[in-house]
Amino acid sequence: MEDQLADFRQLLGKVYDLRAAAQLLGWDQQTYMPPGGGPARAQQIATLEQLSHERFVSDEFGAALSAAQHAVADLDPDSDDACLVREVTRLHDRSVRVSSEWVGEFNHQTGLAFEAWVKAKPAADFNSFIPHLKQIVVLRRQYAEFFAPYEHVYDPLIAEFEPGIKTLEVKAIFDDLRPTQVALLREIVERGSDVNDDFLHIDYDDHQQRRFGEEVIRQIGYDFDRGRQDSAAHPFTTEFGINDVRITTRIKTDYMPTGLFSTMHEAGHALYAQGVKQSLDRTPLINGASLGFHESQSRMIENLVGRSLPFWRAYYPQLQQTFPSQLGSVKLQDFYRAINKVKPSLIRTEADEATYNLHVMLRFDLEISMMRGELEVADLPEAWSAKMQEYLGLDVPDHTRGVLQDVHWSGGSIGYFPTYALGNLIAAQLWETIQSAIPDLEQQIANKDFSTLLAWLRENVHQHGGKFKPSDLLQRITGQSLTAEPYTAYLRRKYAEIYQL
Ligand code: ZN
């Protein structure tokens, strides 16, 4: 039995070595690669991904997986090995349905699409991106067909990022959440904003911002001996193993919160990846329970910690010392209100907590329409503008701040966006449980003490990696299934105080 599991782990490790190498090339593509390297890089990544996929669906691996399934049959179902075999079986069942040719083609096309998007976005040139996005929609429909019959054409796509949840369940949660969020937003806007954030929009030194952000995340628990931070146009976290978890950030010298909160956000992802138990390294379980769960960790560090008053009681004096001419005369309360200012805006990644999910719902609606063939790619900008008006009351002035703003579609990630909103909901649900487990949490944060919080997250969330389905993990931790209620309660509490609603 030991031997069978060892053989299985060895073959699995090789599959993931190839994938990690492809991811490293992807990291380089978004950080240091010269612009000319794009086409060759797309091919290199496609080759590695295809090799990885071929090994994973090979007869040799299939036989090792069957042997491993027998070997774990009598083990505790919660043991690492039993969970690993169960999860790999799920991934394997999915992968054997997808042809290697499709994987190669998909990776090649998305490599080219990414390069096209990088050029199209600053030029607001949607036309040059249309053929690429059309190709991606076609490939994603082909992908869905590998899983036919399905209830909804979007189900196989969302399953790649959020195992176990159906499109209609997400739709029901969003349909429930949207009116509450739209009503809260309207109330805030009607209240009239006297929140001044001009002092955030002045010049802040790039280097000083970076240093401050790195000190904050080091204190929260991000381990720089097993990670590093670089710059990227669209910040992301990537891991090549539990002991090499890299984050990226985007510093703006004319708007300070962008860099700090993207650093904290990515650090939240990285804490999860660095916190997975070492025995799960070199397996797909290091990627966590789901993207929604991952996002719950990043949004928790970014918002529930980073945009809270206790956090700034701890860090504001230091920030003022770092930027005395910008913030020396700004009071803590005014700073806190400024970083939480609610203002419907065009850009998802810069959206405040009151509007963020509405950006996600817009994309969710449009992706479903494209996948169902009800919306042509060429008509996307028009549909985008209509939704922006409906959800956020805004006109879209150009494609840079409209359909071209996100990297996801260029990477073929249709079905990914809903996980951002689910992450917000999961974060708030976990936070309620954490607050009852650690009654003086706010005081600890105000003392720059994150050790109890991190230990709780390590014990309850991080260490398990992808051992459990997201819905099971949430149930184990909170005793509840997914619900929007803690999130809407949190938003109301927070903004009632800031805006005196
Ligand atoms: Zn994230």
Side-chain angles (χ1 to χ4, degrees):
M1 178 185 123
E2 294 280 290
D3 288 354
Q4 285 158 335
L5 282 173
D7 286 351
F8 164 72
R9 282 226 182 205
Q10 188 54 24
L11 288 174
L12 183 65
K14 288 184 178 179
V15 168
Y16 278 85
D17 290 345
L18 285 166
R19 182 149 303 158
Q23 275 181 306
L24 179 57
L25 290 181
W27 171 83
D28 175 71
Q29 182 176 33
Q30 294 192 56
T31 49
Y32 293 105
M33 188 190 75
R41 181 57 49 89
Q43 252 152 1
Q44 293 155 357
I45 292 175
T47 300
L48 286 175
E49 289 284 1
Q50 192 170 352
L51 281 174
S52 171
H53 183 258
E54 280 168 7
R55 270 185 170 270
F56 192 48
V57 301
S58 68
D59 294 342
E60 187 191 18
F61 188 83
L65 178 58
S66 302
Q69 285 162 349
H70 287 293
V72 299
D74 297 327
L75 292 185
D76 172 1
D78 287 352
S79 66
D80 291 354
D81 283 325
C83 290
L84 176 63
V85 171
R86 191 166 58 232
E87 177 61 8
V88 171
T89 300
R90 184 184 70 80
L91 293 170
H92 190 258
D93 288 348
R94 288 180 65 78
S95 289
V96 291
R97 288 165 175 258
V98 179
S99 72
S100 288
E101 291 74 28
W102 185 91
V103 174
E105 179 66 7
F106 178 75
N107 280 287
H108 185 209
Q109 290 297 339
T110 52
L112 297 176
F114 175 72
E115 292 305 313
W117 172 79
V118 166
K119 292 196 187 86
K121 181 179 169 179
D125 177 14
F126 183 61
N127 282 342
S128 70
F129 189 58
I130 288 177
H132 294 282
L133 187 52
K134 270 187 173 170
Q135 188 65 38
I136 283 165
V137 172
V138 167
L139 282 161
R140 276 305 185 186
R141 283 217 200 93
Q142 289 170 0
Y143 179 84
E145 289 317 310
F146 290 128
F147 299 90
Y150 40 73
E151 266 174 55
H152 194 293
V153 65
Y154 197 76
D155 281 348
L157 274 65
I158 200 168
E160 198 180 328
F161 308 110
E162 202 63 25
I165 200 160
K166 292 276 197 269
T167 306
L168 294 180
E169 288 173 62
V170 177
K171 202 173 167 332
I173 291 170
F174 285 0
D175 285 346
D176 189 36
L177 184 59
R178 189 183 306 110
T180 316
Q181 289 218 228
V182 170
L184 176 66
L185 179 59
R186 200 155 296 160
E187 222 180 314
I188 293 170
V189 171
E190 277 165 14
R191 190 79 183 77
S193 168
D194 59 345
V195 174
N196 171 26
D197 69 345
D198 293 347
F199 51 83
L200 298 176
H201 293 269
I202 52 180
D203 192 54
Y204 285 81
D205 178 69
D206 179 301
H207 183 68
Q208 298 268 46
Q209 286 195 53
R210 193 174 302 264
R211 276 229 323 244
F212 184 86
E214 289 187 352
E215 191 175 336
V216 165
I217 60 172
R218 184 178 281 116
Q219 285 169 358
I220 294 176
Y222 177 67
D223 181 355
F224 277 91
D225 288 335
R226 298 189 290 136
R228 54 178 289 128
Q229 175 169 257
D230 296 274
S231 294
H234 185 102
F236 63 97
T237 299
T238 188
E239 63 261 16
F240 319 117
I242 294 166
N243 303 310
D244 188 352
V245 182
R246 303 187 189 184
I247 61 173
T248 54
T249 192
R250 181 177 58 149
I251 306 262
K252 289 174 84 172
T253 51
D254 59 354
Y255 187 60
M256 192 272 290
T258 300
L260 177 62
F261 290 119
S262 86
T263 292
M264 292 185 76
H265 179 99
E266 300 307 330
H269 284 300
L271 289 172
Y272 194 174
Q274 289 185 335
V276 176
K277 63 164 90 164
Q278 295 285 339
S279 58
L280 301 177
D281 207 4
R282 219 176 160 224
T283 79
L285 269 54
I286 69 166
N287 296 326
S290 67
L291 287 190
F293 244 94
H294 240 292
E295 200 63 13
S296 79
Q297 300 306 291
S298 56
R299 300 290 285 179
M300 184 182 289
I301 299 302
E302 176 191 353
N303 291 329
L304 292 156
V305 174
R307 287 183 214 265
S308 75
L309 195 52
F311 178 82
W312 286 106
R313 281 193 210 292
Y315 282 95
Y316 192 56
Q318 195 179 332
L319 190 69
Q320 281 181 307
Q321 277 163 23
T322 310
F323 299 106
S325 66
Q326 295 91 332
L327 297 172
S329 60
V330 177
K331 291 197 183 76
L332 169 65
Q333 273 294 341
D334 294 334
F335 176 81
Y336 169 69
R337 285 156 59 86
I339 58 165
N340 284 295
K341 181 174 181 163
V342 173
K343 190 165 188 275
S345 70
L346 295 161
I347 310 292
R348 175 185 59 84
T349 54
E350 291 166 9
D352 52 73
E353 291 178 84
T355 53
Y356 188 91
N357 284 346
L358 298 171
H359 289 264
V360 171
M361 292 175 198
L362 171 151
R363 288 155 178 77
F364 175 69
D365 294 349
L366 297 180
E367 285 186 344
I368 287 179
S369 300
M370 282 194 289
M371 284 301 293
R372 295 181 66 159
E374 295 160 0
L375 175 64
E376 292 298 325
V377 169
D379 299 330
L380 194 56
E382 206 180 319
W384 184 287
S385 296
K387 290 270 175 204
M388 273 313 266
Q389 194 51 255
E390 183 188 343
Y391 293 174
L392 289 152
L394 293 176
D395 290 324
V396 182
D398 54 58
H399 299 317
T400 308
R401 287 172 282 178
V403 282
L404 287 174
Q405 67 180 267
D406 298 304
V407 70
H408 304 64
W409 289 339
S410 76
S413 294
I414 297 176
Y416 188 119
F417 283 116
T419 67
Y420 288 130
L422 298 177
N424 284 328
L425 306 188
I426 296 169
Q429 237 177 308
L430 293 175
W431 198 249
E432 282 196 347
T433 307
I434 294 170
Q435 282 181 314
S436 20
I438 314 172
D440 64 339
L441 179 62
E442 291 197 349
Q443 195 48 51
Q444 294 185 15
I445 291 174
N447 293 331
K448 297 188 182 175
D449 178 3
F450 303 96
S451 57
T452 319
L453 173 63
L454 186 60
W456 190 96
L457 291 171
R458 289 271 190 261
E459 170 68 21
N460 291 283
V461 182
H462 300 169
Q463 63 154 330
H464 302 305
K467 280 178 66 176
F468 306 112
K469 269 203 318 194
S471 53
D472 291 347
L473 185 57
L474 191 62
Q475 187 79 40
R476 277 167 192 262
I477 299 171
T478 67
Q480 285 182 316
S481 47
L482 184 64
T483 158
E485 206 276 319
Y487 185 66
T488 52
Y490 155 75
L491 284 185
R492 172 141 288 279
R493 244 188 346 265
K494 179 166 187 171
Y495 292 113
E497 197 251 315
I498 293 174
Y499 283 92
Q500 286 110 42
L501 301 177

